[in-house]
Amino acid sequence: MAEMQKQWYVIQALTGQEQKAQRQIVAQARSAGLCEYFDIPVEPKKGEVLNDFNVVVPTERVAEFKEGKKRIVTRKLCPGYVVVRMALYEDEAHRQIRQELWQFIQNIPGVIGFLGGTSTKPRPITQEEADNLLHRVAADEAKKPKLKVVFQVGETVRVNEGPFMNFNGTIEQIDPDSGRLQISVSIFGRSAPVTLEYWQVERVTDHPEGV
């Protein structure tokens, strides 16, 4: 038997139900005996990562500051989508779709349908497109979380920690990698630059352009 040609497809899911759809694809493929059409091992293992099976919900980790505390949150890179590698067609020319797989995906809870192609003949994305997305996910997993920038240059903030507590200042520079801000504070009638951590200030006014 010739090796089945597997390609990457983008599946649209209800927003907020991407991980649920991901879990259901893996679980139901196992129970229905369809693992050979995917990159899904037949037997589940403790601590397995579903993204490793090429049923991927692309995410990145972001560090954000809220009420003076830092926390790590996971943010979806492509909200509303799951990227899946599977042998959806029986031939390389994409003439004959595997109806069993077609119905399988359509019946997954939270799945709306395929992105790309027609309503009856989904079009796969290229391997290059898939690689670019997967490399971004892998790179994010290998590095420390990004800091979510919640301030913008030009905003007025109030210092809530340290020797300049209760002083107002204007943000002049933002360093999202270190989580530090340089603000201009008026001291004795003169403007002085002060470098502070994100959590040491709180927003007073919106960005001057209303962003």
Side-chain angles (χ1 to χ4, degrees), residues 90-161:
E90 294 183 0
D91 59 274
E92 293 187 8
H94 295 170
R95 290 187 296 265
Q96 187 67 37
I97 199 168
R98 286 190 168 89
Q99 290 299 318
E100 184 179 21
L101 273 187
W102 168 262
Q103 293 297 329
F104 172 79
I105 294 295
Q106 297 291 335
N107 291 329
I108 294 293
V111 166
I112 298 172
F114 288 85
L115 181 69
T118 68
S119 59
T120 57
K121 283 197 172 183
R123 177 173 53 84
I125 62 175
T126 67
Q127 186 62 48
E128 181 181 5
E129 289 172 322
D131 287 342
N132 288 339
L133 182 61
L134 295 174
H135 288 164
R136 183 175 174 184
V137 173
D140 177 76
E141 291 174 350
K143 66 184 180 181
K144 65 181 182 180
K146 295 179 180 178
L147 282 164
K148 183 179 179 181
V149 177
V150 294
F151 299 107
Q152 297 185 52
V153 171
E155 282 189 286
T156 299
V157 294
R158 178 177 293 110
V159 181
N160 56 24
E161 178 77 18

Side-chain angles (χ1 to χ4, degrees), residues 48-59:
E48 64 185 14
V49 178
L50 301 189
N51 275 5
D52 291 345
F53 305 154
N54 290 335
V55 181
V56 181
V57 176
T59 60

Side-chain angles (χ1 to χ4, degrees), residues 23-205:
R23 290 193 301 270
Q24 287 295 316
I25 290 172
V26 173
Q28 293 193 31
R30 283 169 168 162
S31 63
L34 299 177
C35 290
E36 64 177 323
Y37 297 115
F38 299 86
D39 291 310
I40 300 172
V42 175
E43 296 296 328
K45 293 183 179 180
K46 184 178 180 180
E48 64 185 14
V49 178
L50 301 189
N51 275 5
D52 291 345
F53 305 154
N54 290 335
V55 181
V56 181
V57 176
T59 60
E60 63 178 352
R61 295 171 301 151
V62 178
E64 66 177 19
F65 292 84
K66 190 173 183 180
E67 297 179 354
K69 296 181 179 180
K70 178 181 176 180
R71 63 173 184 166
I72 307 300
V73 298
T74 299
R75 181 169 61 187
K76 297 180 181 69
L77 291 174
C78 307
Y81 296 101
V82 182
V83 187
V84 182
R85 185 173 184 264
M86 59 182 169
L88 184 61
Y89 286 91
E90 294 183 0
D91 59 274
E92 293 187 8
H94 295 170
R95 290 187 296 265
Q96 187 67 37
I97 199 168
R98 286 190 168 89
Q99 290 299 318
E100 184 179 21
L101 273 187
W102 168 262
Q103 293 297 329
F104 172 79
I105 294 295
Q106 297 291 335
N107 291 329
I108 294 293
V111 166
I112 298 172
F114 288 85
L115 181 69
T118 68
S119 59
T120 57
K121 283 197 172 183
R123 177 173 53 84
I125 62 175
T126 67
Q127 186 62 48
E128 181 181 5
E129 289 172 322
D131 287 342
N132 288 339
L133 182 61
L134 295 174
H135 288 164
R136 183 175 174 184
V137 173
D140 177 76
E141 291 174 350
K143 66 184 180 181
K144 65 181 182 180
K146 295 179 180 178
L147 282 164
K148 183 179 179 181
V149 177
V150 294
F151 299 107
Q152 297 185 52
V153 171
E155 282 189 286
T156 299
V157 294
R158 178 177 293 110
V159 181
N160 56 24
E161 178 77 18
F164 299 102
M165 185 172 179
N166 295 328
F167 277 71
N168 285 359
T170 302
I171 298 176
E172 295 186 336
Q173 295 181 22
I174 298 173
D175 185 352
D177 291 329
S178 65
R180 293 187 176 92
L181 308 168
Q182 181 174 304
I183 68 173
S184 176
V185 177
S186 179
I187 304 172
F188 301 117
R190 296 186 179 183
S191 179
V194 178
T195 300
L196 298 168
E197 305 279 348
Y198 279 20
W199 59 269
Q200 291 180 295
V201 302
E202 60 184 12
R203 178 179 283 112
V204 174
T205 64

